[in-house]
Amino acid sequence: MTDPRRPDGASETSRTSRGVSMRAMILDVPGRPLRLASLERPTPGPGELLLRIRACGVCRTDLHLIDGELPKPKLPVIPGHEIVAEVAGHGAGVSGPPLGQRVGVPWLGGSCGHCSWCADGRENLCPDASFTGYQRDGGYADYAVADAAYCFALPTKYSDVDAAPLLCAGLIGYRAYRHAGNASKLGIYGFGAAAHLIAQVAIAQGRRVMAFTRPGDRDAQAFARELGAAWAVGSDEAPPEPLDAALLFAPVGSLVPAALAAVKPGGTVVCAGIHMSDIPAFPYRLLWGERCVRSVANLTRRDAKEFLALAGKVALAVHARTYPLVDANRALGDLRDGRIAGAAVLTMEH
Ligand SMILES: [Zn+2]
Ligand SMILES: [Zn+2]
């Protein structure tokens, strides 16, 4: 619905936001640290919401973006695709959610709506999809605009900080988990933000979780056990019993043959990251027995709705370390060096 008070449909809030500045952490060129800048607050276009950001998660994908491992980013770009925000204005043609309502914005920021993938519910594979904090400016800022059709209500039981990691770690983790089918013994390689959430979902659904961390990372192993993993060791070790499926959240290609060696015949290895180092050659016998290796790419809106509904029912203990927006580079450094148990989240403190 357009705002009847304005011939162009833009709301009062979007009009008055023009010319007002905001803080943002910007990537100018891959390979450089983010730069704190003062930018004009964005104006929502048709179909978009203006969002006042309260918190934004820091994801490993942001490291891949900064390292130049993702092709053709919008540059300069504001990273961040785990946005928790309140609605602060409506673009033309949008009447809700109401001002002040809390919403979340994930990685998938838009899709074409008419290609063959969009038409059959696989909008995550749309060749014209646009991604938050990569091809659209994201959440390392005080304000952002987002396509209203790709913003989601968040379960009220989670604080802004705790809700942020649900939007990528949770969602992409959930999509990976869905592709593990009904595995009762589930291996998880790389015990960071996604793993710590999806392990809890798996355990709540009666599965047995075995966690594999960087070899020697006793803290991560203790963290996995604390969250209910039946077993946690370095990724250079074999599990005590064969796995039904394995989820790979670590971007390390050599884990693919390791995980294949650990799954039973008929088992699936799901690679959940957007980028991974090269997978080394491995003997065919590791794949033999109808084992399957697959990736999951991005997410669909259905994934978001399903996972957020699930997160509203299961009490997920979200472990998040917070940083002020201006300390985004420090948060990214801590994530890169494996110093974060769970997730890192930026807070805007307006
Ligand atoms: Zn992410
Ligand atoms: Zn499409």
Side-chain angles (χ1 to χ4, degrees), residues 298-320:
N298 315 314
L299 70 140
T300 63
R301 283 173 284 183
R302 188 185 136 199
D303 293 326
K305 285 178 188 140
E306 280 183 15
F307 174 71
L308 292 169
L310 185 61
K313 289 193 201 110
V314 179
L316 296 174
V318 181
H319 291 249

Side-chain angles (χ1 to χ4, degrees), residues 54-70:
R54 297 178 181 176
C56 183
V58 175
C59 174
R60 182 162 294 283
T61 298
D62 303 337
L63 290 178
H64 296 313
L65 170 75
I66 291 162
D67 291 346
E69 290 166 336
L70 304 186

Side-chain angles (χ1 to χ4, degrees), residues 61 127 186 189 192 292 344:
T61 298
L186 184 68
Y189 288 74
C292 172

Side-chain angles (χ1 to χ4, degrees), residues 63-91:
L63 290 178
H64 296 313
L65 170 75
I66 291 162
D67 291 346
E69 290 166 336
L70 304 186
K72 297 185 183 153
K74 162 193 176 312
L75 288 173
V77 66
I78 303 171
H81 55 269
E82 297 179 301
I83 303 175
V84 177
E86 61 188 53
V87 176
H90 302 95

Side-chain angles (χ1 to χ4, degrees), residues 111-119 122-123 125-129:
S111 57
C112 81
H114 50 75
C115 71
S116 62
W117 291 278
C118 283
R122 292 187 297 164
E123 61 198 6
L125 302 178
C126 174
D128 293 320

Side-chain angles (χ1 to χ4, degrees), residues 279-302:
I279 301 170
F282 56 86
Y284 178 59
R285 66 177 165 75
L286 293 183
L287 188 61
W288 172 249
E290 300 193 348
R291 291 178 183 84
C292 172
V293 179
R294 67 165 301 149
S295 64
V296 297
N298 315 314
L299 70 140
T300 63
R301 283 173 284 183
R302 188 185 136 199

Side-chain angles (χ1 to χ4, degrees), residues 90-333:
H90 302 95
V94 188
S95 57
L99 294 179
Q101 172 134 344
R102 187 171 80 151
V103 295
V105 184
W107 171 244
L108 183 70
S111 57
C112 81
H114 50 75
C115 71
S116 62
W117 291 278
C118 283
D120 73 359
R122 292 187 297 164
E123 61 198 6
N124 60 312
L125 302 178
C126 174
D128 293 320
S130 61
F131 299 101
T132 312
Y134 175 30
Q135 285 136 353
R136 304 174 59 101
D137 281 329
Y140 289 17
D142 287 324
Y143 285 83
V145 292
D147 187 326
Y150 294 79
C151 295
F152 300 94
L154 295 168
T156 52
K157 66 161 74 158
Y158 298 94
S159 69
D160 295 337
V161 166
D162 286 356
L166 304 180
L167 286 157
C168 182
L171 285 188
I172 306 272
Y174 175 71
R175 186 168 179 84
Y177 175 66
R178 273 213 296 129
H179 285 90
N182 57 3
S184 58
K185 292 187 198 91
L186 184 68
I188 299 184
Y189 288 74
F191 210 85
H196 101 280
L197 295 174
I198 228 57
Q200 294 179 62
V201 171
I203 291 162
Q205 294 184 339
R207 326 250 183 145
R208 207 167 141 77
V209 168
M210 306 195 201
F212 299 83
T213 70
R214 292 187 213 204
D217 191 345
R218 302 260 171 239
D219 290 347
Q221 290 159 20
F223 180 50
R225 279 190 217 102
E226 201 182 296
L227 291 174
W231 197 74
V233 293
S235 58
D236 53 348
E237 292 188 42
E241 49 194 326
L243 306 173
D244 296 308
L247 310 182
L248 267 59
F249 294 114
V252 180
S254 60
L255 292 176
V256 171
L260 275 171
V263 299
K264 281 179 185 167
T268 300
V269 173
V270 184
C271 304
I274 191 169
H275 175 83
M276 184 180 258
S277 57
D278 286 352
I279 301 170
F282 56 86
Y284 178 59
R285 66 177 165 75
L286 293 183
L287 188 61
W288 172 249
E290 300 193 348
R291 291 178 183 84
C292 172
V293 179
R294 67 165 301 149
S295 64
V296 297
N298 315 314
L299 70 140
T300 63
R301 283 173 284 183
R302 188 185 136 199
D303 293 326
K305 285 178 188 140
E306 280 183 15
F307 174 71
L308 292 169
L310 185 61
K313 289 193 201 110
V314 179
L316 296 174
V318 181
H319 291 249
R321 185 187 295 181
T322 61
Y323 300 80
L325 170 65
V326 295
D327 283 348
N329 287 312
R330 187 161 61 85
L332 288 159

